[in-house]
Amino acid sequence: MNRALYTVIGLGLLTIIILANVSSANSLPPSSATQPNIVFIRTDDQDFQTFFDKLPNGRPVMKNVRELIMRRGTYFDRSYVSFPLCCPSRATTLTGQYAHNHTVLSNGGSTGGYAKLNHTNTLPIWLGQAGYYTMHLGKYMNGYNVVLDPSGSYHAPPAGWNKWFTTFGNMHKYYNYSVYDGTNVVTYGSSASDYQTDVITRQAQDYLTQRPYENQPFFMQVDYLAPHEDLSMGNNPPPAAPRHQGLMSGSSLPMSPAFNEADVSDKAIFISYLPPLTSQDIAEVKNNYEHRMESLLAVDEGVGKILQTLRATGQYGNTIVVFTSDNGFMLGEHRKSGKFLAYESLRVPLIMSGPSIPKGKIVPELVMNVDLTPTFLEWASATPGLLQDGRSLVPLLTNPTGTTSWRSDILTENPLVNYYRGLRTYNVSTGREYLYTEYDYTNDGVVDEKELFALTPDSCRPVGDPYLLESQHANPCYSSLIQQFHNRVTYLKTCAGSTCT
Ligand SMILES: [Ca+2]
Ligand SMILES: [Ca+2]
Ligand SMILES: [Ca+2]
């Protein structure tokens, strides 16, 4: 079955998987503790589709993560990031804010990166104030310790973290990278045991076994690098762990109807000029796809090992596990690969699993990375030091009949790197969904180009466009809707706190 079909039937497929497994699920009774432990596991550049992809032998690549849902977890079917780029997305979960409020608008330079964020008022500090022991492992934010301080020393971990096991400098390397623990620099080489994903997993298991937090609840944030490309020498596909090399050989490249789109003249100018993918381009996409899938196998094993350690140490029953990615990724859709853009790269997998989380539930509402922070804070009974632009997802998890009041749109923004702001909408009542994007290439506040995709049928078109193939921005039937969306973007682009919802 190809990737395109998974997109369409993903929800149904998942339902079948869950129903088939509910009876054999082995969930522990809910804990009475009021402050659960939280393990927040995040991948880098993982598109949501990989959640449904399989090895040629039929094994789901994300087998352990999928089992989280079957056992005691919920899947969010419309999970998005507002800014599909590493550093702005990571700053969002540290603050609970849209990028226009936390001000990290790129991965580096004067407009972004680690140095751009105010690290004195972030999630780990707020959790610590509520009694949590906090641990970070892996990639934090782009630019951490890229430049040492004037004395040649490493920069201390940002405030709020009790344990710090964080890659720095050129952090996009699976071998021959360094980790700073706040006191020592540990350098890893090129042997199989140095493979970064496994090193991060082993350290997480060590912390969970040693329990440095003693009698406190803990928050552990595990930021895996996979399936991000390897930047050791140029840009290369992520290497698999040696034990996983070649497991995707013989697979066919999934191609949705958006793959190598036949006619891109409906799209923004920088897409409309792209030539069709050549056979060599397609071979590169396929190679990248296979490496990405193989690199995710070690992540999925890591999730399994973390769960195993939680069980072995008696902590599983009071620990919530959240799994997501910092941004989505495109593999040839609309003749393009990578992140950044207001297309498929906005969408990420999101799974929450734990003692208070409904088992086998699928949440249809629009949620985004901006919501994760207020959700963590509600679980932890912690108080934020910043206005929260998102909403806690707890009502969506706990209300058995669906919530009566939820947002119908979220803001997308990437104004400096790719010049856009827009909306992703989903009206629960009508079922209608749109993706609307405004491009301002000259950054003068005057919109230069627009796109509007009607993902579902409406009064203007009898068929939906879930693969974003025919922008309707020039269709006069949509002129009033476009004006309405333009007004909404204009409002949301400076929203803060409650005005964002
Ligand atoms: Ca990323
Ligand atoms: Ca302009
Ligand atoms: Ca088209």
Side-chain angles (χ1 to χ4, degrees):
M1 189 175 297
N2 69 27
R3 195 185 185 96
L5 282 171
Y6 280 127
T7 304
V8 174
I9 66 160
L11 199 61
L13 183 74
L14 197 67
T15 307
I16 292 164
I17 293 164
I18 289 164
L19 289 177
N21 283 276
V22 161
S23 58
S24 62
N26 182 27
S27 59
L28 293 174
S31 164
S32 61
T34 54
Q35 287 183 306
N37 306 313
I38 301 167
V39 178
F40 174 34
I41 302 172
R42 181 166 51 187
T43 49
D44 196 342
D45 291 6
Q46 182 182 3
D47 56 290
F48 101 98
Q49 293 275 8
T50 55
F51 195 72
F52 298 101
D53 284 342
K54 294 181 177 180
L55 297 176
N57 69 11
R59 179 201 193 273
V61 171
M62 304 310 293
K63 181 172 183 288
N64 289 316
V65 179
R66 287 159 64 122
E67 283 179 1
L68 279 175
I69 304 169
M70 300 164 195
R71 289 179 184 275
R72 53 168 199 174
T74 289
Y75 174 78
F76 292 82
D77 192 42
R78 289 180 181 81
S79 170
Y80 291 82
V81 293
S82 60
F83 197 137
L85 182 60
C86 306
C87 213
S89 176
R90 287 154 195 268
T92 280
T93 55
L94 287 168
T95 58
Q97 298 193 327
Y98 275 119
H100 65 259
N101 288 325
H102 65 56
T103 74
V104 178
L105 298 175
S106 69
N107 281 344
S110 62
T111 58
Y114 176 84
K116 181 68 174 170
L117 185 69
N118 173 8
H119 292 276
T120 66
N121 194 8
T122 59
L123 174 68
I125 298 170
W126 311 331
L127 292 173
Q129 288 164 350
Y132 274 71
Y133 190 91
T134 59
M135 301 175 270
H136 180 263
L137 303 92
K139 171 180 166 180
Y140 196 62
M141 290 176 69
N142 306 56
Y144 174 63
N145 272 340
V146 161
V147 180
L148 302 185
D149 75 23
S151 70
S153 301
Y154 298 97
H155 293 277
W161 293 104
N162 297 113
K163 285 286 185 192
W164 184 248
F165 187 81
T166 302
T167 52
F168 66 89
N170 184 351
M171 54 191 68
H172 300 108
K173 297 162 74 175
Y174 290 78
Y175 295 101
N176 301 305
Y177 56 93
S178 296
V179 171
Y180 189 46
D181 69 7
T183 308
N184 299 304
V185 171
V186 189
T187 298
Y188 293 87
S190 54
S191 65
S193 63
D194 294 318
Y195 185 68
Q196 193 191 122
T197 304
D198 295 341
V199 168
I200 300 295
T201 297
R202 281 200 300 273
Q203 189 65 47
Q205 289 183 284
D206 282 353
Y207 285 153
L208 294 172
T209 305
Q210 295 160 5
R211 299 193 185 200
Y213 36 88
E214 296 184 4
N215 297 318
Q216 290 175 265
F218 69 79
F219 176 82
M220 173 183 276
Q221 181 172 323
V222 182
D223 278 310
Y224 286 117
L225 173 59
H228 193 287
E229 60 190 350
D230 184 284
L231 303 185
S232 299
M233 296 177 69
N235 297 25
N236 288 294
R243 63 188 179 282
H244 295 142
Q245 282 171 5
L247 288 182
M248 283 298 286
S249 297
S251 65
S252 53
L253 176 66
M255 298 180 190
S256 86
F259 183 82
N260 200 12
E261 183 178 343
D263 177 359
V264 287
S265 63
D266 60 304
K267 294 198 165 50
I269 190 165
F270 61 95
I271 295 291
S272 69
Y273 282 168
L274 293 175
L277 301 179
T278 64
S279 56
Q280 185 184 341
D281 294 335
I282 293 172
E284 279 175 22
V285 172
K286 182 172 190 296
N287 183 46
N288 194 20
Y289 168 73
E290 291 182 1
H291 278 82
R292 285 167 53 83
M293 293 300 98
E294 289 177 1
S295 78
L296 281 168
L297 289 168
V299 170
D300 191 63
E301 284 182 1
V303 172
K305 286 178 177 174
I306 287 169
L307 293 171
Q308 198 177 48
T309 306
L310 287 169
R311 286 195 191 90
T313 54
Q315 302 172 95
Y316 178 76
N318 191 34
T319 302
I320 293 173
V321 179
V322 175
F323 181 92
T324 192
S325 173
D326 67 339
N327 53 259
F329 203 81
M330 290 157 61
L331 286 169
E333 288 96 338
H334 322 296
R335 308 185 183 180
K336 194 77 182 155
S337 285
K339 43 203 173 189
F340 298 104
L341 301 181
Y343 301 120
E344 286 80 357
S345 40
L346 292 167
R347 190 171 178 188
V348 293
L350 175 62
I351 293 97
M352 294 184 174
S353 172
S356 60
I357 312 290
K359 178 169 63 179
K361 180 169 177 166
I362 297 172
V363 172
E365 281 88 350
L366 267 184
V367 304
M368 57 177 166
N369 56 341
V370 191
D371 300 326
L372 294 178
T373 320
T375 306
F376 297 154
L377 294 170
E378 180 164 353
W379 284 332
S381 303
T383 305
L386 292 170
L387 283 177
Q388 295 295 291
D389 297 339
R391 291 178 62 175
S392 167
L393 301 178
V394 171
L396 294 181
L397 293 168
T398 55
N399 185 342
T401 56
T403 182
T404 51
S405 168
W406 194 253
R407 69 165 71 89
S408 59
D409 57 30
I410 57 177
L411 177 71
T412 66
E413 52 182 356
N414 187 345
L416 294 184
V417 182
N418 294 89
Y419 318 108
Y420 69 79
R421 293 186 179 87
L423 292 180
R424 174 67 168 88
T425 81
Y426 171 57
N427 185 312
V428 180
S429 308
T430 65
R432 287 186 183 162
E433 300 185 65
Y434 298 92
L435 180 66
Y436 171 70
T437 305
E438 298 183 342
Y439 296 91
D440 177 8
Y441 306 113
T442 50
N443 197 25
D444 58 2
V446 180
V447 177
D448 302 310
E449 274 194 302
K450 297 173 185 172
E451 290 173 339
L452 175 69
F453 299 100
L455 281 68
T456 49
D458 59 19
S459 58
C460 292
R461 298 179 83 230
V463 290
D465 181 17
Y467 298 104
L468 318 177
L469 299 178
E470 293 178 69
S471 177
Q472 299 298 310
H473 60 276
N475 182 341
C477 186
Y478 286 103
S479 57
S480 67
L481 187 67
I482 286 174
Q483 185 61 46
Q484 182 189 323
F485 284 170
H486 170 71
N487 294 343
R488 184 68 177 155
V489 172
T490 304
Y491 172 81
L492 282 177
K493 72 181 184 183
T494 56
C495 75
S498 60
T499 65
C500 294
T501 54

